[in-house]
Every structure is written in structure tokens, then in C-alpha cells.
Amino acid sequence: MSNLSLNTIEEELEEKLYHSYLNKFIQKPKIDKDKLLLLFTLINHTSYSDKKKRSYILTTMIVQIALDTHDLVTQHSSEEETDQIKKNRQLTVLAGDYFSGLYYYMLSQIDDVEMISTLASAIKEINELKMNLYYESGQSLHALVDRLKKLESVLIVRVAQHVKKDSINEFAQNWLLTKKLVQEKDLYTSKQQASIFDVLFQDSFHRLQNHQALQMIETFIRKHLLITEELGRNLPVPFQSVKTSTQRFFNEYFSHNKLAMEEG
């Protein structure tokens, strides 16, 4: 019987991510709680020792956070930007490198060559997907969303395959894609940088108006949210907490959007 708890793992992850100097100047690294819940559930219901479970979960999440932190770096500099903005960008790069070093250190502590290979292969796959997603011109919206779907779930999918629980992979892919699309839509509507919308607008292939882009993204959100709900009904018993989380999101999302349509 495992003595691990999700809260304890999250607290330990917060401790490992804390860096007094970096935290003064750049935003605190965000823990993707949906990915953490999926990872925790996947790994906690294996026959591994608690020590190995803890190590696998923490290392995989730090890999994810290191990759996410590098994505926060401003891609284009400007002569008008302040010294503080330049410093923040440099520190964000440093933070990503710091977290990368941390997960390499933690990987070295894992006595499992296959797991190390699994994570290293996933990192390579993620970087290749990012290059294709953000820098390949002329891709259709369906191709863009499909690549985003793979990108968001690579680590979960590969770890699930490693621990022989890949029956949840289709659910994880659709669920994490849905959450990412909702996040991108929220960023865009609140006038913040949204990478997927940036790709849509910078690629002359699409030439979309704002409302067209929003409508298309909303269509994909609803499609994959419904797929997620259907797949969630067949999740194994240990994934009850995941099922509850997705059902709550499903109800809130459609309730909120119905209210917004009525008010509009």
C-alpha cells in the first residue's frame, strides 16, 4: 500500500522549484496540476517502491517545467525594450537551464536505464514537435491542432507506456489538448500572448480574422471536450479522481459558455 499523497508530492515539487534569486525577478514556475494528477495516478498504482514512485513523478514534472520555462523566453528583442526586460529574459533562460540541470541530476539518481531513456526520448520528441508547430509554414489548422495534441501529452504518453498503463493515453491526449486550447483562448481574449493564435495570424496561409480564429478554436475545444468526457467514462477505477476533475471542468465550461451566450 502506497503512503504517497498528491499534496505531499506537490509540496516537495514546490520546494525543489524554489530559487530565492530567480523568484525575485521572474514569474514563479507553474505546476500543471492536470499533468501532475495524471502522472501521480499512473505511477502511484504500480508495484514500484514509494521512493521510486516519488522520484519518477518529481523528475518527470521537473522535465515538463524546464521545457515550459524555456517557452516563456521572449523570442524577439526590440531596441525599445528596457534593461529590466532584457534581464528578465536572460534570467528566464537561466531558470530553464537551472531546472534542466535539476532534472538531469535527478535522472542520474534513478536506477532505471529504461526510464532515463524514456524521458530523454520524450524530450527530443517534444523539441522536434515545437520546431514543426511554431516554425513550419503552410500547415493546416487540423495539422496544427494535431501537433499541439501530441506536444501536450508526450511525457504522459511515454511514461504511461513505460509503466504499462497506456490504455489511458487517448484520454490523456484529448484532455490535455482541451485544457491547452482553453488556456490559449483565455490568454488571447485577455490580450495576452497566446502562441497558437500567434501561429494562426503570422502564417499567411490562414489569413484569419480575430472572430474566425476564436470560432475555430472553440469548435476544437468542444469537439475534444466531448471526446474526453466519453473516454473518461471508461477510465480504470484508480483514475476516479481524474474522472471527477474532468467532469467538473466539463460542467463548468459548458455552463459558463451557455451563460455567456445568453448574456450576449
Side-chain angles (χ1 to χ4, degrees):
M1 181 71 177
S2 175
N3 293 315
L4 293 181
S5 77
L6 182 61
N7 288 339
T8 301
I9 291 290
E10 186 172 349
E11 288 171 5
E12 187 167 356
L13 187 56
E14 292 273 10
E15 290 176 8
K16 288 188 177 296
L17 294 173
Y18 179 77
H19 190 290
S20 58
Y21 180 72
L22 290 173
N23 288 1
K24 287 181 182 178
F25 298 100
I26 63 174
Q27 67 185 71
K28 182 181 177 182
K30 290 183 179 179
I31 297 173
D32 189 320
K33 295 191 177 183
D34 294 294
K35 290 179 181 177
L36 177 57
L37 177 59
L38 279 168
L39 268 174
F40 178 83
T41 308
L42 268 174
I43 295 174
N44 198 39
H45 290 89
T46 64
S47 59
Y48 298 140
S49 67
D50 281 0
K51 180 180 179 181
K52 182 170 280 193
K53 290 176 183 178
R54 170 187 157 279
S55 182
Y56 280 9
I57 298 166
L58 291 173
T59 302
T60 305
M61 285 305 300
I62 289 173
V63 168
Q64 184 68 65
I65 289 164
L67 293 166
D68 291 345
T69 300
H70 276 136
D71 287 346
L72 296 174
V73 179
T74 305
Q75 294 182 0
H76 305 289
S77 60
S78 166
E79 293 181 0
E80 298 179 0
E81 70 182 10
T82 66
D83 290 340
Q84 185 60 53
I85 292 175
K86 291 179 182 178
K87 182 176 182 179
N88 287 353
R89 187 192 307 113
Q90 292 166 350
L91 286 171
T92 303
V93 173
L94 179 62
D97 291 343
Y98 170 74
F99 298 138
S100 296
L102 182 58
Y103 74 65
Y104 279 121
Y105 169 75
M106 294 184 69
L107 279 176
S108 71
Q109 306 301 302
I110 296 178
D111 185 22
D112 186 336
V113 175
E114 288 187 9
M115 183 61 172
I116 294 172
S117 177
T118 292
L119 292 178
S121 176
I123 292 167
K124 179 176 181 291
E125 190 174 351
I126 286 168
N127 287 328
E128 290 173 350
L129 282 167
K130 285 180 179 178
M131 291 297 294
N132 293 332
L133 179 64
Y134 296 119
Y135 299 105
E136 182 178 315
S137 61
Q139 58 187 322
S140 69
L141 181 57
H142 284 274
L144 187 154
V145 171
D146 187 58
R147 282 173 171 162
L148 184 64
K149 180 180 180 180
K150 292 176 182 176
L151 178 60
E152 283 299 301
S153 58
V154 166
L155 276 174
I156 302 292
V157 165
R158 298 297 170 238
V159 170
Q161 290 171 341
H162 178 76
V163 300
K164 306 294 190 293
K165 293 187 180 293
D166 53 358
S167 62
I168 66 104
N169 281 350
E170 189 178 358
F171 166 85
Q173 288 175 324
N174 283 280
W175 172 228
L176 295 176
L177 170 65
T178 302
K179 291 298 294 283
K180 182 64 175 179
L181 289 174
V182 171
Q183 179 188 37
E184 288 288 304
K185 179 188 171 188
D186 290 344
L187 286 172
Y188 181 73
T189 54
S190 61
K191 311 297 184 184
Q192 299 181 63
Q193 183 177 358
S195 55
I196 296 305
F197 283 88
D198 288 344
V199 173
L200 285 175
F201 293 133
Q202 75 186 10
D203 195 334
S204 59
F205 176 83
H206 296 292
R207 299 184 183 279
L208 295 175
Q209 299 296 319
N210 290 8
H211 70 281
Q212 292 175 312
L214 281 169
Q215 287 174 353
M216 293 178 78
I217 295 298
E218 178 63 28
T219 298
F220 277 101
I221 290 172
R222 288 174 174 269
K223 171 186 173 182
H224 289 283
L225 194 53
L226 289 170
I227 292 172
T228 299
E229 187 197 29
E230 181 64 31
L231 292 170
R233 292 172 184 164
N234 300 315
L235 284 175
V237 173
F239 285 83
Q240 182 59 49
S241 58
V242 176
K243 186 186 300 187
T244 300
S245 177
T246 55
Q247 188 61 51
R248 185 186 307 117
F249 181 87
F250 181 91
N251 293 337
E252 290 175 355
Y253 186 83
F254 279 104
S255 175
H256 172 77
N257 279 271
K258 180 180 179 182
L259 180 62
M261 290 176 65
E262 290 174 351
E263 291 178 345

